Every structure is written in C-alpha cells, then in structure tokens.
Amino acid sequence: MNILVIGGGGREHALVWKLKQSDAAKAIFCAPGNAGIQEEAECFPVSPTDIPDLLTLAREKAIDMAVVGPEAPLVAGIVDTFTAAGIPIIGPDRAAARLEGSKAFTKELLREAGVPTAPFETFDAPEKALKALNGKSYPLVVKADGLAAGKGVLIVRDRGEAEAAIRAIMLDKAFGEAGNRVVLEAFLEGEEASFIVLTDGETILPLASSQDHKRIHDGDVGPNTGGMGAYSPAPVVDAVLHDRIMKEVIEPVVETMNRRGTPFRGILYAGLMISDGTPHVLEFNVRMGDPETQPILFRMEGDLAETLLLLHHRQLHKAVLSWPSNAALCVVLASGGYPGNYEKGKVITGLEELAGRKDIKVFHAGTKRNESGAIVTNGGRVLGVTALAPDLSACREKAYQAIEAIHFEGMVYRKDIGLKGIQRLSASA
Ligand code: AMP
Ligand code: GLY
C-alpha cells in the first residue's frame, strides 16, 4: 500500500513510525511532516487544510490509504472529498466530525444518548448568555462552540471573569467564528483520562488508556496547551471503569450517531472527567490525541495499517491489536513562551545520542531542517521523548534521563509527567 499521513506533529510522527512497520506498507508519504518524519517518509509541503492540493498529491502518488492526523481537515470535510474521488481515507465524514467541530452539537447528542456530561446551556446571542449568569455558581466553564486549537475553554472563578469570557468569545471573537455560539457548563471535579477507540460504526476497538497533561506547568497549573506529556496505560482507568466507559459513553454515542443516519467511522477520542467514580464526557475529538498517540503506539503490538484498512472496509471485527503489560511515557519538550509567543529556529543538539534505541523514541513535532541541514525548532511543542519500560516508574526515569542528552535554547518541559499515575498505583498497592 501507498499510505499518505496528513499532518506534521508528534502524533503524525508516531503514526508514520508505526505504519511503516506494517508488512503491507510499500511507501509512506506525509504532508507536511517535520524533520523527524522526513527520516522515515517522503514529505511534501502541503498544508493539512489544503484539501484540493492534498487530493492532487494523493492522486499523483497513487495513494491506497490516507490517514488524517489533525481535526481541522476532518471538520472541513476531507473525508467526503477523498471518498467522492475514490481514495480510501480514515476518519469521520463531515457530518460525523461535528462531534469535535461543535461543542453545542456534542452536548445535545450526549443528552439524547443519555451519556453523563456536565450540566450545560448553549447560547447564540451574547446578551442571553450574559443574562444566564444570574444564579450560576463558580467556578464555571465557558466554551467557544467551534474549533479553537484547544484554547476555547475558559474556566472562570466569578461573575466578572465570566462576563469577560463571554465578551471575549462572542463579541471580540477571540477564537474567530468558533465563538458564534457559547456553551456555559458546570465545573466538574475529578481526574481526567483519555479514552480512544477505533470504530467502523459496528465494531468498537478500544486502544490502551492514556492520560494527557494539558497545563503548561507542573502540578497542573498555568494555561492549557495542546498537551505537555502523556502516559499509557492510565491507572485511573481500571477494568471496571473501562467497561463502564464502553457501555455508558462510547456505545451509546456510536449507536446514536447510527440512529441519526450520520454514522461515525474512524478514531473517536473521549476526553473524560472521572467525577465521583462516573465517567463524564468533557469533549470528543475525532482523531488520535497528541501526545497520547506517542505512548499508545509505542507500546502497541499489531499491524496498524492492516487495522485501519479493515476499519475502512467495515471489517474491524477481524482486527487484532494488543498491548503487553508494559507502559510508555512521553515528555514534551517545548519552546520557552509556549503556549504564548515563542521564538523558532533554535538548533537542537543531542538527538543522535538517542537514535537507534529500542526503548526510547524521540518523536518530532515542531522541527525542521534549516539551510545548513541542522535540525531546528519550528513550533511550540518541539519533541516528544517517549520511553518504554515494564512499568510507569521505570518509564519515567528513562524518559527524564534521555532528556538530559537533548538541548535547545529556551527548552522547557514539565518535570511531573506520570506522577499522578504512579501515586495512584502505589496508593492501591
Ligand atoms: P475541552 O477542550 O472541552 O476538553 O476542555 C479543555 C480542558 O478544560 C479539559 O481538559 C479540562 O481540563 C477543562 N474542562 C473542560 N470542561 C470542564 C468541566 N466541565 N469541568 C472541569 N474542567 C473542564
Ligand atoms: N492531547 C489532547 C488532544 O490531542 O486534543
């Protein structure tokens, strides 16, 4: 098979790396890729949202299967375009991608499906949203309806902050058209977990559990980021909770999408808050998580290309993926200033020291080669140092030890990736 991976972050590097191990993979292409992906696949400078140019590329390269990393092309309907052109592509069509494209759509669907989620109200006029603040308790969660690169969720502590948030989203359009509607949602206490499944609309194949670290600083403080690190498995998701998530969240959502005539086929990622022992849906993503993909795929056994092709042919019941009883952990190295402003073009050293190791993989995110061939920073999240070991503690040690080899000016990273999981394991031991 000729496979095209669309995207250029750490998630796409992990996808390319795993797909390449498939016996069925003849050639892997990536658009746009990054300096790490270039080592493993031929890359083309096409933006993931330039659907016409991606289609041209797919035709030129006789692509047998396209795999979409980020949400924006899915929400914009890349699957509908490729399908109409007869090119197999993995992911939900535009109608089903609304599960990520509109928070208001998702909240209504969850209500219909009877899936636990925080109580909420949706508004398309700012004055109505402001009026609804009478009698709200705090903290309160104010969400822009549409895609906002993970930044459209504001947790506010009092009425003043809530009014400012509604104005910023709906009047100042801080997140553009994403703020045409706003969702006001009760704040849930608990522990977060990511639960990702593959589904062809009939069979649901859960991937190993994982946990992300969304805030920029240690101890989960500071602004939200795309994700500063992740590990798999997530001890908070034990066997009982796993079954509950499947029965109370994933199955009803897949069934409701089928019943509505907009079946979901692709990768469904539930962002959950485990509150009082019950899984509540915070959000859905319609793609793999970044950086969750890195540890999940690093420890996965099985043929990813074959599995995704089975999904495409609605034969997912034949797929066999497994996760040995080990663990993997990914620490993201970011540019100083991220998720705000940061500089690019800083030379990265030390990568060659870690090359060729079976238990460590440095997945690239925002990297590129400069004119003189050096690998330099090219984004907020730069590298995901991922370690594989028999358990979480050993992974953590290994990952942080590996990081000591790597350097670039302004490099920042969290020092507490995995600690929550390790503490939970020692508390239950
Ligand atoms: P979302 O994009 O909806 O997942 O929101 C981003 C982050 O905001 C989540 O990962 C949570 O940390 C937080 N969050 C969102 N909704 C809630 C909620 N109802 N209660 C508490 N935290 C929330
Ligand atoms: N790591 C969170 C996400 O991929 O949305």
Side-chain angles (χ1 to χ4, degrees), residues 34-47:
N34 58 37
I37 297 176
Q38 269 166 16
E39 314 260 305
E40 328 208 18
E42 192 180 348
C43 295
F44 297 87
V46 182
S47 158

PDB file of all heavy atoms in Angstrom, residues 34-47:
ATOM      1  N   ASN A  34       7.678  16.788   9.287  1.00  0.00           N
ATOM      2  CA  ASN A  34       8.648  17.606  10.032  1.00  0.00           C
ATOM      3  C   ASN A  34      10.017  16.926   9.876  1.00  0.00           C
ATOM      4  O   ASN A  34      10.131  15.928   9.153  1.00  0.00           O
ATOM      5  CB  ASN A  34       8.221  17.764  11.496  1.00  0.00           C
ATOM      6  CG  ASN A  34       8.061  16.420  12.211  1.00  0.00           C
ATOM      7  OD1 ASN A  34       8.834  15.488  11.971  1.00  0.00           O
ATOM      8  ND2 ASN A  34       7.064  16.322  13.083  1.00  0.00           N
ATOM      9  N   ALA A  35      11.030  17.454  10.568  1.00  0.00           N
ATOM     10  CA  ALA A  35      12.393  16.929  10.355  1.00  0.00           C
ATOM     11  C   ALA A  35      12.513  15.461  10.756  1.00  0.00           C
ATOM     12  O   ALA A  35      13.272  14.703  10.138  1.00  0.00           O
ATOM     13  CB  ALA A  35      13.404  17.769  11.130  1.00  0.00           C
ATOM     14  N   GLY A  36      11.763  15.040  11.767  1.00  0.00           N
ATOM     15  CA  GLY A  36      11.820  13.644  12.197  1.00  0.00           C
ATOM     16  C   GLY A  36      11.106  12.737  11.211  1.00  0.00           C
ATOM     17  O   GLY A  36      11.584  11.644  10.879  1.00  0.00           O
ATOM     18  N   ILE A  37       9.941  13.187  10.750  1.00  0.00           N
ATOM     19  CA  ILE A  37       9.162  12.375   9.804  1.00  0.00           C
ATOM     20  C   ILE A  37       9.933  12.209   8.497  1.00  0.00           C
ATOM     21  O   ILE A  37       9.895  11.137   7.877  1.00  0.00           O
ATOM     22  CB  ILE A  37       7.766  13.015   9.570  1.00  0.00           C
ATOM     23  CG1 ILE A  37       6.974  13.040  10.882  1.00  0.00           C
ATOM     24  CG2 ILE A  37       6.997  12.260   8.488  1.00  0.00           C
ATOM     25  CD1 ILE A  37       5.621  13.724  10.810  1.00  0.00           C
ATOM     26  N   GLN A  38      10.684  13.257   8.110  1.00  0.00           N
ATOM     27  CA  GLN A  38      11.478  13.193   6.870  1.00  0.00           C
ATOM     28  C   GLN A  38      12.458  12.031   6.850  1.00  0.00           C
ATOM     29  O   GLN A  38      12.841  11.554   5.793  1.00  0.00           O
ATOM     30  CB  GLN A  38      12.264  14.485   6.685  1.00  0.00           C
ATOM     31  CG  GLN A  38      11.522  15.524   5.881  1.00  0.00           C
ATOM     32  CD  GLN A  38      12.168  16.893   5.996  1.00  0.00           C
ATOM     33  OE1 GLN A  38      13.307  17.011   6.427  1.00  0.00           O
ATOM     34  NE2 GLN A  38      11.431  17.912   5.621  1.00  0.00           N
ATOM     35  N   GLU A  39      12.885  11.600   8.028  1.00  0.00           N
ATOM     36  CA  GLU A  39      13.825  10.479   8.098  1.00  0.00           C
ATOM     37  C   GLU A  39      13.130   9.159   7.753  1.00  0.00           C
ATOM     38  O   GLU A  39      13.781   8.172   7.445  1.00  0.00           O
ATOM     39  CB  GLU A  39      14.406  10.334   9.512  1.00  0.00           C
ATOM     40  CG  GLU A  39      14.872  11.630  10.120  1.00  0.00           C
ATOM     41  CD  GLU A  39      16.374  11.820  10.011  1.00  0.00           C
ATOM     42  OE1 GLU A  39      17.093  10.928  10.468  1.00  0.00           O
ATOM     43  OE2 GLU A  39      16.796  12.862   9.471  1.00  0.00           O
ATOM     44  N   GLU A  40      11.788   9.146   7.876  1.00  0.00           N
ATOM     45  CA  GLU A  40      11.066   7.874   7.730  1.00  0.00           C
ATOM     46  C   GLU A  40      10.092   7.870   6.553  1.00  0.00           C
ATOM     47  O   GLU A  40       9.579   6.819   6.194  1.00  0.00           O
ATOM     48  CB  GLU A  40      10.292   7.540   9.012  1.00  0.00           C
ATOM     49  CG  GLU A  40      10.974   8.054  10.266  1.00  0.00           C
ATOM     50  CD  GLU A  40      10.693   7.249  11.513  1.00  0.00           C
ATOM     51  OE1 GLU A  40      10.243   6.107  11.406  1.00  0.00           O
ATOM     52  OE2 GLU A  40      10.958   7.784  12.606  1.00  0.00           O
ATOM     53  N   ALA A  41       9.819   9.047   5.985  1.00  0.00           N
ATOM     54  CA  ALA A  41       8.816   9.116   4.918  1.00  0.00           C
ATOM     55  C   ALA A  41       9.141  10.289   4.007  1.00  0.00           C
ATOM     56  O   ALA A  41       9.790  11.233   4.426  1.00  0.00           O
ATOM     57  CB  ALA A  41       7.424   9.305   5.516  1.00  0.00           C
ATOM     58  N   GLU A  42       8.649  10.209   2.772  1.00  0.00           N
ATOM     59  CA  GLU A  42       8.848  11.346   1.874  1.00  0.00           C
ATOM     60  C   GLU A  42       7.792  12.412   2.190  1.00  0.00           C
ATOM     61  O   GLU A  42       6.599  12.104   2.254  1.00  0.00           O
ATOM     62  CB  GLU A  42       8.707  10.885   0.413  1.00  0.00           C
ATOM     63  CG  GLU A  42       9.193  11.929  -0.566  1.00  0.00           C
ATOM     64  CD  GLU A  42       9.062  11.473  -2.023  1.00  0.00           C
ATOM     65  OE1 GLU A  42       8.812  10.261  -2.261  1.00  0.00           O
ATOM     66  OE2 GLU A  42       9.188  12.324  -2.895  1.00  0.00           O
ATOM     67  N   CYS A  43       8.251  13.636   2.423  1.00  0.00           N
ATOM     68  CA  CYS A  43       7.339  14.704   2.855  1.00  0.00           C
ATOM     69  C   CYS A  43       7.105  15.727   1.755  1.00  0.00           C
ATOM     70  O   CYS A  43       7.994  15.989   0.938  1.00  0.00           O
ATOM     71  CB  CYS A  43       7.904  15.405   4.090  1.00  0.00           C
ATOM     72  SG  CYS A  43       7.989  14.322   5.524  1.00  0.00           S
ATOM     73  N   PHE A  44       5.905  16.307   1.760  1.00  0.00           N
ATOM     74  CA  PHE A  44       5.530  17.331   0.773  1.00  0.00           C
ATOM     75  C   PHE A  44       4.970  18.539   1.517  1.00  0.00           C
ATOM     76  O   PHE A  44       4.174  18.373   2.440  1.00  0.00           O
ATOM     77  CB  PHE A  44       4.480  16.765  -0.187  1.00  0.00           C
ATOM     78  CG  PHE A  44       5.003  15.608  -0.989  1.00  0.00           C
ATOM     79  CD1 PHE A  44       4.924  14.304  -0.483  1.00  0.00           C
ATOM     80  CD2 PHE A  44       5.628  15.822  -2.211  1.00  0.00           C
ATOM     81  CE1 PHE A  44       5.442  13.239  -1.195  1.00  0.00           C
ATOM     82  CE2 PHE A  44       6.146  14.751  -2.924  1.00  0.00           C
ATOM     83  CZ  PHE A  44       6.053  13.460  -2.417  1.00  0.00           C
ATOM     84  N   PRO A  45       5.361  19.741   1.097  1.00  0.00           N
ATOM     85  CA  PRO A  45       4.938  20.942   1.828  1.00  0.00           C
ATOM     86  C   PRO A  45       3.511  21.365   1.505  1.00  0.00           C
ATOM     87  O   PRO A  45       3.278  22.440   0.963  1.00  0.00           O
ATOM     88  CB  PRO A  45       5.959  22.000   1.368  1.00  0.00           C
ATOM     89  CG  PRO A  45       6.349  21.570  -0.003  1.00  0.00           C
ATOM     90  CD  PRO A  45       6.241  20.071  -0.037  1.00  0.00           C
ATOM     91  N   VAL A  46       2.560  20.500   1.826  1.00  0.00           N
ATOM     92  CA  VAL A  46       1.150  20.832   1.607  1.00  0.00           C
ATOM     93  C   VAL A  46       0.479  20.960   2.969  1.00  0.00           C
ATOM     94  O   VAL A  46       0.643  20.096   3.830  1.00  0.00           O
ATOM     95  CB  VAL A  46       0.439  19.730   0.774  1.00  0.00           C
ATOM     96  CG1 VAL A  46      -1.004  20.123   0.512  1.00  0.00           C
ATOM     97  CG2 VAL A  46       1.177  19.478  -0.531  1.00  0.00           C
ATOM     98  N   SER A  47      -0.262  22.028   3.164  1.00  0.00           N
ATOM     99  CA  SER A  47      -0.934  22.257   4.451  1.00  0.00           C
ATOM    100  C   SER A  47      -2.037  21.215   4.666  1.00  0.00           C
ATOM    101  O   SER A  47      -2.743  20.848   3.721  1.00  0.00           O
ATOM    102  CB  SER A  47      -1.538  23.659   4.454  1.00  0.00           C
ATOM    103  OG  SER A  47      -2.572  23.715   5.402  1.00  0.00           O
TER     104      SER A  47
END
